[in-house]
Amino acid sequence: MSIRTVKTTPFADQKPGTSGLRKAVTVFEQPNYLENFVQSVFDSLDGYQGQTIVLGGDGRFYNRTAINTILKMSSANGVGKVLVGCNGILSTPATSCVIRENGAFGGFILSASHNPGGPDGDFGIKYNIGNGGPAPEKVTEAIYAKSKQIQEYKILEASDINIDRPGFFKLGLMQVEVIDSVASYLKLMENIFDFDQIVDLIKSNSFRLCIDSMHAVTGPYAQKIFEQRLGAPVGTVINGVPLEDFGGGHPDPNLVYAHDLVEILFAQNAPDFGAASDGDGDRNMILGRNFFVTPSDSLALLTANAQLVPGYKAGLSGVARSMPTSMAVDRVAKRLNLPCYETPTGWKFFGNLLDDSRATLCGEESFGTGSNHIREKDGLWAVLFWLNILAVRRESVEAIVRQHWSEYGRNYYSRHDYEEVSSDRANELVNNLRLQLPSLPGQKYGSYQVEYADDFSYTDPVDHSVTNNQGIRIGFSDGSRIVLRLSGTGTKGATLRVYIESYEVDSSKHNLDTQKALATLIDIAQDLAKITYYTERQAPTVIT
Ligand code: G16
C-alpha cells in the first residue's frame, strides 16, 4: 500500500455554513471535491497525527463512498486510529458521544441533516473537535482558508474495507475499528434517565407511544432503545430502516414533513406520545395525543422539570437558547434563578457555554435540544427526557404543557420559511430592513410599539469572540418579537426565515390558533420587510 499525492485545484464554494459543508450530491461527486475539503480539514489542524478520530454518517446516498475515501485519506495523513460506525452509521449525537468517551482528537460526520437525500438530494460533511462538538468558527474559517489554496491531497492506495460488521482492520499504518453504532450511546442514556421508571410507564397498558425515524439514522437506535431495552411493542418505531434516500421523504421532524406521525397522533384513539427525529438524529419533534409541543416550549418544559430526571437532579448551571428561539425558557430560568444565554443560530455557539459549565441545557426553535452530556443536540435524548417526565408525573403531554402555560404564561410562536428564493433578492430584503433599524424604536403599529430594533451580535462570554450580523430583531414593548434571518443550511438559492413571537399571560387566552394569535405581528413583518415584494412569494413554503 502506498501513499499517493494528487495534484488538485481549489473549489471556490467550500465555506462551511451553519452546520458544515452541505451541497447537492452532484457537487460532491465532482472529481476531488470531497478530497479537497477533507485535506483542507487536515491542513488546518495541528497535532492529529497518531491520534484517534471518529467517522460515521446518517446513511444517506454517498455515505459509503465518502467513508472509504476519508479512511484512506486519514491513513495517508498520519491519523493513528479511526473508530467507524458499523455500516457507516453513526448519528450526530452518537458521534459526539464516541468522541468524548474515547478522548478522540475529533471526528467527521457525514450528513446534510434534515435535507433530502439520494442521488438528486444533498450530502454534507462536518468536522467536530475533541469536545465532541461542531468546530467553532475559527476552525471552520481556517478550513475554508485552506480550501482556497489547496494544491494537493494525500490518499492511500488500498482496497475498500468491509464496514458491515464490528471488527479491527489495518489500513497502511493506521488502525480501523468498526464499532457497534448504538452501544456507547445507549450506555450514556442509561446513565442519565430512569429506565426502570420508563419501563413501568410503557408496561402500564394505559400508555402507548409511536416513534418515527423517517427512514433515517435513528432507526437502529430507536429500535434498540424503545422496543428492545424499554419493552415497547415491536412496531412502536415506524419508518425504522435507514434508506439512502430516506424513502423519498424529507427527514425533517416538523408538522409538515413528519406527516406519517402527525396522522397517527391526530387520529381518533391516537397514542399518548409521539416523536420524530431527523436525518442524522439530532433533532426531535414531540407530540401528545392531538397535541403539538413547540420546540421552544419543549426547552422551557425540560428546564422546569429537570429535577425529575436522575442526570439533572443535582441542578442546572444555566440554560441557553439560540436568538430566534422563543423566550419561554427565559421565564423558567428567571424563576429558578438560572443564567440564560442567547446565542446565534448554530449548535457550535453552545460549545463554550457547555465546556465552561455555564449552561446545562440548550435548545433551538429548529427542533433541537441537548445538554452537557454531549456537545451536539440530541433527538432521542429529548424523547427520553419527555418519557422520564411522563413516567414520573403520569399526566398527559397536553396537561403538562397547559399547566406550564398557566404557571409561566404562553409564548405563541411560529416560523415562516420562504425556501429557494433568489439570493440577490433575499439579501436586498435584509439590507433594506437593516437601513430602517435606527428609525424603528418608538414607532407604533396598532397596539404594538417598537422597543428595540437591531442586527444581533454575540460576544462569547468565554473566549470573547464576536459574531456579527446574526439576524434582525424587532422587539415590542409587550415582549413580542419579530426576527428575520437567512438560513445557513440551504443548498438552493436562499431561505428566508421569519420568526414571530408574542406573549400571553392570561390563561383564558391560551387556546387560540397560533397563526391567528400572531396575525397582526405577521402583517407587521410583511409591511416592514416587504416580504412578498422581495421573495416574489404570496405565502411561506413551510410554516412551523
Ligand atoms: C443546523 C444547526 C442548528 C440550526 C439549524 C438551522 O441544524 O446545527 O443550530 O438551528 O441548522 O439553521 P439555519 O436556520 O441556518 O438553516 P442541523 O440539524 O441542520 O444540523
Side-chain angles (χ1 to χ4, degrees):
M1 282 187 258
S2 62
I3 294 172
R4 196 154 59 93
T5 301
V6 181
K7 294 272 172 243
T8 187
T9 49
F11 292 89
D13 63 348
Q14 297 201 321
K15 185 176 170 61
T18 308
S19 182
L21 185 70
R22 286 187 194 168
K23 302 280 174 195
V25 166
T26 46
V27 172
F28 271 100
E29 283 174 332
Q30 297 172 87
N32 298 345
Y33 193 88
L34 173 72
E35 291 84 348
N36 272 23
F37 187 76
V38 172
Q39 187 64 53
S40 302
V41 173
F42 285 127
D43 290 348
S44 67
L45 300 174
D46 275 329
Y48 63 83
Q49 290 86 352
Q51 304 277 338
T52 298
I53 65 166
V54 179
L55 174 61
D58 64 12
R60 68 177 59 225
F61 184 80
Y62 206 61
N63 199 48
R64 278 180 177 264
T65 311
I67 285 202
N68 270 296
T69 300
I70 296 171
L71 282 172
K72 290 171 201 172
M73 289 186 68
S74 301
S75 172
N77 279 280
V79 171
K81 180 174 183 179
V82 179
L83 299 168
V84 57
C86 192
N87 286 310
I89 293 281
L90 268 184
S91 74
T92 288
T95 310
S96 186
C97 164
V98 174
I99 291 175
R100 292 169 70 79
E101 189 185 29
N102 292 279
F105 186 85
F108 287 98
I109 301 177
L110 308 177
S111 171
S113 187
H114 53 287
N115 297 19
D120 300 321
D122 289 340
F123 187 73
I125 175 166
K126 186 167 87 144
Y127 180 72
N128 279 29
I129 59 174
N131 72 353
E137 293 230 302
K138 61 175 187 298
V139 177
T140 55
E141 287 299 329
I143 296 170
Y144 179 46
K146 291 289 181 191
S147 79
K148 289 191 287 190
Q149 298 160 357
I150 189 166
Q151 293 185 348
E152 59 185 39
Y153 63 82
K154 289 192 216 134
I155 187 159
L156 187 77
E157 296 211 298
S159 329
D160 288 355
I161 62 163
N162 180 357
I163 54 172
D164 292 346
R165 70 189 85 87
F168 293 86
F169 300 87
K170 232 21 214 307
L171 208 47
L173 296 175
M174 185 181 84
Q175 294 177 51
V176 179
E177 183 179 350
V178 181
I179 57 169
D180 180 309
S181 310
V182 184
S184 295
Y185 181 77
L186 172 59
K187 196 170 75 190
L188 182 61
M189 295 301 110
E190 285 175 321
N191 283 335
I192 298 174
F193 299 107
D194 189 336
F195 270 48
D196 292 342
Q197 213 159 5
I198 302 175
V199 167
D200 284 348
L201 173 75
I202 290 175
K203 267 206 224 132
S204 69
N205 292 325
S206 55
F207 185 83
R208 288 180 297 133
L209 73 161
C210 179
I211 308 289
D212 187 353
S213 288
M214 302 187 84
H215 286 303
V217 79
T218 57
Y221 295 83
Q223 277 158 351
K224 182 86 182 204
I225 295 172
F226 300 108
E227 295 182 358
Q228 293 170 31
R229 176 66 180 79
L230 293 170
V234 173
T236 294
V237 178
I238 61 170
N239 301 321
V241 178
L243 299 174
E244 285 198 333
D245 66 349
F246 308 119
H250 195 137
D252 198 354
N254 60 39
L255 292 172
V256 177
Y257 294 125
H259 39 78
D260 288 356
L261 181 77
V262 172
E263 269 167 35
I264 293 170
L265 266 289
F266 282 82
Q268 277 192 340
N269 194 26
D272 302 272
F273 178 83
S277 41
D278 71 333
D280 60 332
D282 55 5
R283 296 185 179 205
N284 71 91
M285 176 172 72
I286 303 293
L287 300 177
R289 178 182 295 146
N290 301 329
F291 194 82
F292 166 62
V293 186
T294 70
S296 296
D297 277 349
S298 184
L299 173 64
L301 264 136
L302 300 190
T303 305
N305 289 277
Q307 80 287 352
L308 304 180
V309 172
Y312 306 101
K313 255 204 168 73
L316 308 176
S317 61
V319 289
R321 62 164 173 83
S322 68
M323 182 274 281
T325 303
S326 101
M327 301 193 309
V329 71
D330 302 36
R331 296 181 186 279
V332 181
K334 196 163 176 212
R335 177 94 50 101
L336 299 179
N337 212 9
L338 294 173
C340 180
Y341 298 87
E342 184 177 40
T343 61
T345 295
W347 203 263
K348 58 193 170 200
F349 293 102
F350 294 133
N352 278 349
L353 299 175
L354 294 166
D355 282 352
D356 204 45
S357 300
R358 288 173 187 250
T360 309
L361 300 185
C362 306
E364 297 190 284
E365 51 67 38
S366 54
F367 294 82
T369 341
S371 88
N372 60 352
H373 67 292
I374 52 170
R375 292 295 180 272
E376 287 279 4
K377 54 188 184 274
D378 190 345
L380 295 181
W381 166 91
V383 175
L384 287 164
F385 205 132
W386 264 95
L387 287 175
N388 201 146
I389 293 171
L390 292 169
V392 176
R393 290 186 54 171
R394 303 278 170 145
E395 295 164 75
S396 72
V397 171
E398 178 169 353
I400 289 175
V401 176
R402 288 197 181 281
Q403 188 274 330
H404 185 90
W405 289 340
S406 68
E407 202 175 332
Y408 292 94
R410 175 172 181 185
N411 288 69
Y412 280 102
Y413 185 83
S414 183
R415 185 176 103 183
H416 290 195
D417 293 336
Y418 296 79
E419 293 176 340
E420 294 185 32
V421 300
S422 139
S423 297
D424 289 347
R425 302 281 290 172
N427 283 315
E428 278 175 40
L429 180 151
V430 172
N431 291 336
N432 168 55
L433 200 52
R434 256 188 210 130
L435 292 175
Q436 295 182 56
L437 294 178
S439 64
L440 291 182
Q443 301 266 11
K444 275 196 141 188
Y445 298 88
S447 60
Y448 291 98
Q449 178 159 28
V450 178
E451 195 168 88
Y452 63 89
D454 62 11
D455 196 347
F456 182 58
S457 269
Y458 177 64
T459 303
D460 186 299
V462 180
D463 66 14
H464 309 294
S465 57
V466 177
T467 312
N468 291 319
N469 302 330
Q470 292 302 301
I472 288 174
R473 305 188 294 184
I474 301 168
F476 298 90
S477 49
D478 69 342
S480 304
R481 288 196 312 170
I482 297 169
V483 171
L484 291 100
R485 58 179 283 280
L486 300 183
S487 158
T489 56
T491 55
K492 287 184 199 129
T495 295
L496 171 71
R497 301 204 196 284
V498 185
Y499 312 82
I500 313 111
E501 171 179 6
S502 73
Y503 178 63
E504 180 56 69
V505 78
D506 178 354
S507 49
S508 72
K509 295 185 186 150
H510 286 170
N511 275 325
L512 302 178
D513 169 77
T514 299
Q515 299 307 313
K516 285 196 184 122
L518 297 172
T520 310
L521 287 164
I522 293 169
D523 288 345
I524 296 173
Q526 177 65 258
D527 282 356
L528 282 172
K530 301 193 177 51
I531 297 171
T532 305
Y533 170 72
Y534 282 110
T535 63
E536 294 166 348
R537 297 282 166 76
Q538 293 302 322
T541 330
V542 179
I543 295 181
T544 45

